[in-house]
Amino acid sequence: MSTIRSICVYCGSSPGNDPAYLNAGEQLGAAIAAANIKLIFGGGTNGIMGAVARGVLQAGGEVGAIIPRFLTTRETTHDAMKIFNDLTIVETMHERKQSMFDRSDAFVALPGGLGTVEEIIEIMTWAQLGQHRKPIVFANVKNFWAPMLGMIDHMERVGFLHSRSLIQPIVVDEVENIVAAIQAAAVPEATAEGVSSVIEKM
Ligand code: AMP
């Protein structure tokens, strides 16, 4: 049985200017639902965020949405949020990020803007500091993440990555391969519900 029960997806609150990005979002959502895994995400219904959530829900999957109150009228609307039956409204960005981390067994970054970058970088910094070993995936749709991957390599070359072995993001070019890549990389004791899944196996 898979030890991955929830996947956090970070992605743009905008759609980008190539339909491939929205399609990738919907496709990833459907794949997460098909694997019987819960989506954890930031609760926005616009852009790629909305596409991922719709992809999950249209495929009959489960979504955990976590959004700060001040964004409930910017990244979504009160009506649009009614599609979520597991909706958590928090007061701050930090609460949102902590809750998304705690409730997720793995992290995926689809294309997005500064918010997406901030979120996935923070998850990598926590891995670098040895705070978790949950899989981290760059969904490299149309090579979107090439500059970021180049930057990480550059930091390593010039001696600023002090724990490269702890920062091993998985780069996946094809969206349909993301869930399998995460399941292959899962470390049972590092999962959010890892303890119970280990006990179940005994
Ligand atoms: P963006 O990629 O800029 O469209 O943002 C994607 C998501 O990241 C949105 O839900 C934003 O609210 C969120 N976000 C924006 N800035 C930050 C930040 N500093 N920390 C965490 N999340 C953020």
Side-chain angles (χ1 to χ4, degrees), residues 11-14 42 49 71 75 93 96-97 112-116 118-119:
C11 57
S13 55
S14 309
M49 295 177 76
L71 288 179
E75 295 189 352
M93 296 297 271
R96 180 206 228 179
K97 288 198 293 184
L114 291 178
T116 304
E118 199 276 350
E119 291 170 309

Side-chain angles (χ1 to χ4, degrees), residues 54-77:
R54 279 194 305 278
V56 172
L57 293 171
Q58 281 165 9
E62 268 190 272
V63 176
I66 304 155
I67 190 163
R69 193 175 307 281
F70 80 97
L71 288 179
T72 56
T73 51
R74 277 170 57 176
E75 295 189 352
T76 183
T77 64

Side-chain angles (χ1 to χ4, degrees), residues 19 35 38 41 47 82 119 132 155 159 176 180 200:
K38 183 167 185 169
F41 92 121
K82 288 181 184 153
E119 291 170 309
H132 74 91
M155 285 188 268
E176 70 251 33
E200 275 166 29

Side-chain angles (χ1 to χ4, degrees), residues 132-152:
H132 74 91
R133 291 196 291 153
K134 300 177 185 181
I136 300 170
V137 170
F138 280 105
N140 199 27
V141 181
K142 294 200 138 188
N143 219 16
F144 176 84
W145 289 110
M148 170 71 73
L149 300 168
M151 187 71 203
I152 294 170

Side-chain angles (χ1 to χ4, degrees), residues 66-172:
I66 304 155
I67 190 163
R69 193 175 307 281
F70 80 97
L71 288 179
T72 56
T73 51
R74 277 170 57 176
E75 295 189 352
T76 183
T77 64
H78 289 285
D79 268 353
M81 283 191 306
K82 288 181 184 153
I83 58 173
F84 304 129
N85 55 11
D86 176 0
L87 171 68
T88 306
I89 297 180
V90 295
E91 298 308 321
T92 69
M93 296 297 271
H94 282 102
E95 277 178 78
R96 180 206 228 179
K97 288 198 293 184
Q98 187 68 50
S99 177
M100 289 168 78
F101 173 78
D102 291 341
R103 293 177 61 183
S104 303
D105 293 327
F107 305 92
V108 177
L110 278 167
L114 291 178
T116 304
V117 168
E118 199 276 350
E119 291 170 309
I120 198 67
I121 289 285
E122 180 166 67
I123 294 300
M124 283 198 291
T125 64
W126 290 355
Q128 181 177 227
L129 295 172
Q131 297 301 293
H132 74 91
R133 291 196 291 153
K134 300 177 185 181
I136 300 170
V137 170
F138 280 105
N140 199 27
V141 181
K142 294 200 138 188
N143 219 16
F144 176 84
W145 289 110
M148 170 71 73
L149 300 168
M151 187 71 203
I152 294 170
D153 286 344
H154 172 67
M155 285 188 268
E156 183 178 23
R157 269 196 307 276
V158 296
F160 285 111
L161 283 197
H162 50 79
S163 307
R164 184 63 163 115
S165 64
L166 296 177
I167 315 162
Q168 300 289 351
I170 304 160
V171 181
V172 181

